[in-house]
Amino acid sequence: MEPIKSEFSILLVDDEPDILEFVGYNIKKEGYSLLTASNGKDAIKIALKEIPHLIILDIMMPEMDGIETCIELRKIPALKSTLIAFLTARSEDFSQIAGLDAGGDDYITKPIKPRVLISRINALLRRTLNQQESDPRNNLGDIIIDRQKYVIINKGKEINLPRKEFELLELLTSKPNKVFTREEIFEEIWGNDVIVGDRTIDVHIRRIREKLDNENIKTIKGVGYKYEV
């Protein structure tokens, strides 16, 4: 199902006026409600007031860069369900990993064609809509996954995961003992229109394992992953 675009708000954060104007024009042209900020501090203030569905962050900004801004945004409970995507000229693997570790849901490198960017945005928001319409809770032994609250309860303890980690754990636990190939995971979590580095899944799996402190997520070498019960 396609999202009703006028009901979704996007906060675009970049210190370059030309980027705000050009990217913002294409976002508004697509039918989304647009908010803008030119630095991380203003972005946090606007996000707290407006609670956007998606925040698009540049990394290289003065005073507070995009990584720092993302970390601060992820500390705010009211923004738990807000997607955060980086839109940056930095394409190094370590920058992408830093962005994902900070709580980012997607990492998009410039330059990018407007239609490709809009396709990425549509894919992110479409998956959000689909999750809202599904069964809000999934119980699996010691783990309870609450899709509405974006909360994991593991052995009675509440754990907050960044959105992509949450979605990945939800996928693996949706069919216990099934082996999900890396291709299936990429398609389900990031979508066909999203291009991410080869290490992206591995970084997310490592962080989930650390937070759950269990050995249920198994690596099937050369194939993918499964949640074993």
Side-chain angles (χ1 to χ4, degrees), residues 1-131:
M1 179 182 295
E2 287 292 330
I4 302 174
K5 294 173 182 177
S6 61
E7 296 180 359
F8 284 85
S9 60
I10 298 173
L11 172 57
L12 176 64
V13 188
D14 200 299
D15 64 327
E16 296 185 28
D18 289 348
I19 295 294
L20 288 179
E21 181 178 357
F22 178 70
V23 176
Y25 167 79
N26 284 281
I27 289 173
K28 288 191 292 185
K29 183 180 177 182
E30 189 68 11
Y32 292 113
S33 174
L34 177 68
L35 304 161
T36 60
S38 58
N39 59 74
K41 291 182 179 179
D42 286 348
I44 293 171
K45 293 177 183 177
I46 294 171
L48 271 171
K49 180 181 178 182
E50 302 293 341
I51 315 296
H53 296 88
L54 170 63
I55 300 173
I56 301 176
L57 283 174
D58 185 24
I59 286 185
M60 296 179 288
M61 295 187 294
E63 296 187 39
M64 179 183 288
D65 66 29
I67 301 294
E68 294 170 320
T69 302
C70 183
I71 290 172
E72 292 304 310
L73 288 167
R74 285 302 182 214
K75 294 178 181 178
I76 302 171
L79 299 173
K80 184 183 298 183
S81 297
T82 295
L83 292 159
I84 298 177
F86 290 98
L87 178 62
T88 176
R90 302 192 64 168
S91 58
E92 312 95 336
D93 284 348
F94 70 84
S95 293
Q96 180 173 343
I97 292 171
L100 296 173
D101 280 349
D105 298 292
D106 199 0
Y107 194 98
I108 306 166
T109 55
K110 305 174 188 173
I112 185 170
K113 294 180 179 179
R115 290 309 311 168
V116 177
L117 175 60
I118 293 301
S119 181
R120 299 276 286 263
I121 292 172
N122 288 343
L124 282 166
L125 295 175
R126 187 185 307 118
R127 287 193 293 275
T128 297
L129 184 63
N130 290 340
Q131 288 162 0

Side-chain angles (χ1 to χ4, degrees), residues 157-183:
K157 180 181 178 182
E158 185 173 301
I159 300 174
N160 292 300
L161 299 178
R163 180 178 288 266
K164 281 292 180 284
E165 291 176 24
F166 181 96
E167 292 176 355
L168 179 50
L169 178 61
E170 181 187 13
L171 174 66
L172 295 177
T173 57
S174 67
K175 295 181 179 179
N177 300 318
K178 168 183 164 57
V179 177
F180 288 88
T181 67
R182 297 177 69 85
E183 291 75 16

Side-chain angles (χ1 to χ4, degrees), residues 145-160:
I145 300 176
D146 192 318
R147 296 182 182 90
Q148 289 185 341
K149 297 180 179 179
Y150 268 82
V151 167
I152 306 294
I153 300 173
N154 183 32
K155 298 178 181 178
K157 180 181 178 182
E158 185 173 301
I159 300 174
N160 292 300

